[in-house]
Amino acid sequence: MPGVEDWWRNLGPVTKVLLGASASLTALSLCSMIQPVQVVLHWPLVISQHQWWRLLTNFLWLGDIGGNGTLGTIFGFYMTHEFSTRLEDDTFNRDTAIYVWLFVLMVPLFWAASAISWYIFSYPLMLMEVSLHLAMMWVFCMKNPHAVFNVFSFRVEAPYLPWVYCGINYFLSGGGGGLPYFGAGIVVGWIYMFLANTTSYTMPPQILRNLLATGSFGAGEGIAQPAPPQQAWQPPPAGQGAFQWQPPGAGQPLHPMQQQPPPQAMPPRGNAAPNGTPPPNWGMGILGGVPGQGLQRRNPNPNGGEE
């Protein structure tokens, strides 16, 4: 379908990966090819049986756990598309390296929150997709505080949107079981914004830019490259002056702003130049006293003399 193809083609590369992975994993679960217990973040299985895939699949699975049903799955896909597109296209201006680096910083924070909740508070945080959505929303809303959203025909300003989202998910989950997930998302989003406002840690390293520019995302497609640094002025070598003689034609051409305009030829005597063109403007007329008319001769006397 042309509409679906155009929509998919216009998505950013990171948003395509998120939506494609979430759709594939959720479809496999709906077809009973995998079970939800195989994708959740279960720390004993990760540590003892080395099931490392659980560290990532818990962010991508949008199936039915907690009584959300189909409505929760559709809402999860909508949130992934909406705020991933807003971050990638509007906030980061398709700078893939910065957007990928956001996940590199956020995902270990979510792992730490889940491990602390599991081993200290005995409350397992096994599916972190809601927390990830909330953290992405928090970053976008804090970077765009004047944005206004329409939520069920109600106008909501950006700083209050994460709390409205918590209320909606609280209703969809049917109780207070989602509050720890909301707290983890808000805390991780706040930490990222704190780092962005006070440090340079949220800027990706150059090695990541190089990998993305030559990797599967294409040769720099959708990746904003930093401006080349300006070269500082270097003094001439010792024993040489700043100005050196060079043979004719060996020098570098001047910058267009430094080139002088070619000199204009003096107009011939009379009020008109050859070919009937008016004389060039040489400044304020001296004899005539009219600004911008140039030097002018007084009109000859019809009787043969000057006035």
Side-chain angles (χ1 to χ4, degrees):
M1 295 183 297
V4 177
E5 292 179 0
D6 294 340
W7 166 77
W8 181 258
R9 189 182 304 111
N10 293 330
L11 291 177
V14 181
T15 303
K16 286 181 180 179
V17 172
L18 288 177
L19 288 176
S22 297
S24 301
L25 194 63
T26 305
L28 291 175
S29 175
L30 294 177
C31 296
S32 300
M33 300 182 66
I34 60 174
Q35 298 299 322
V37 295
Q38 297 176 292
V39 299
V40 299
L41 183 55
H42 192 280
W43 283 106
L45 295 178
V46 172
I47 297 174
S48 62
Q49 300 187 19
H50 309 293
Q51 297 182 4
W52 306 114
W53 67 84
R54 296 177 180 271
L55 296 174
L56 296 179
T57 55
N58 74 97
F59 294 103
L60 302 173
W61 194 77
L62 301 174
D64 179 17
I65 280 186
N68 294 354
T70 306
L71 181 60
T73 301
I74 295 175
F75 189 70
F77 276 108
Y78 170 78
M79 295 301 299
T80 301
H81 170 268
E82 183 71 12
F83 283 95
S84 180
T85 302
R86 288 180 181 272
L87 279 176
E88 188 168 13
D89 293 351
D90 301 338
T91 303
F92 298 137
N93 196 23
R94 287 290 177 96
D95 193 330
T96 306
I98 292 183
Y99 195 29
V100 171
W101 190 245
L102 176 142
F103 291 105
V104 173
L105 295 177
M106 281 189 174
V107 167
L109 295 176
F110 282 121
W111 292 341
S114 177
I116 292 173
S117 177
W118 186 291
Y119 289 105
I120 295 180
F121 299 103
S122 300
Y123 188 95
L125 296 178
M126 296 187 295
L127 285 173
M128 305 292 289
E129 84 283 352
V130 174
S131 301
L132 179 63
H133 294 160
L134 189 56
M136 294 165 59
M137 181 189 302
W138 185 275
V139 172
F140 176 81
C141 292
M142 296 304 108
K143 286 183 173 291
N144 302 272
H146 301 292
V148 178
F149 297 87
N150 189 354
V151 181
F152 300 118
S153 301
F154 293 96
R155 291 170 55 88
V156 179
E157 297 181 357
Y160 305 104
L161 185 64
W163 308 107
V164 175
Y165 175 72
C166 291
I168 294 175
N169 270 277
Y170 181 86
F171 170 76
L172 291 177
S173 62
L179 293 180
Y181 293 94
F182 306 153
I186 291 176
V187 169
V188 170
W190 183 89
I191 292 176
Y192 179 88
M193 287 304 303
F194 176 79
L195 295 176
N197 294 330
T198 58
T199 68
S200 60
Y201 293 140
T202 57
M203 298 303 297
Q206 187 61 38
I207 186 174
L208 179 61
R209 291 188 180 276
N210 296 337
L211 289 174
L212 293 176
T214 59
S216 59
F217 287 109
E221 179 182 0
I223 301 177
Q225 300 295 335
Q230 296 183 356
Q231 185 175 4
W233 178 83
Q234 298 293 336
Q240 298 183 5
F243 299 95
Q244 301 180 12
W245 178 88
Q246 292 180 343
Q252 297 294 330
L254 292 174
H255 190 274
M257 297 298 295
Q258 299 175 339
Q259 295 179 358
Q260 300 294 329
Q264 299 181 356
M266 294 293 294
R269 297 178 62 85
N271 292 331
N275 301 327
T277 59
N281 187 354
W282 296 97
M284 180 175 291
I286 299 176
L287 300 179
V290 180
Q293 295 298 324
L295 296 174
Q296 298 182 1
R297 296 185 60 190
R298 301 178 65 183
N299 294 328
N301 191 335
N303 297 328
E306 290 187 356
E307 296 179 350

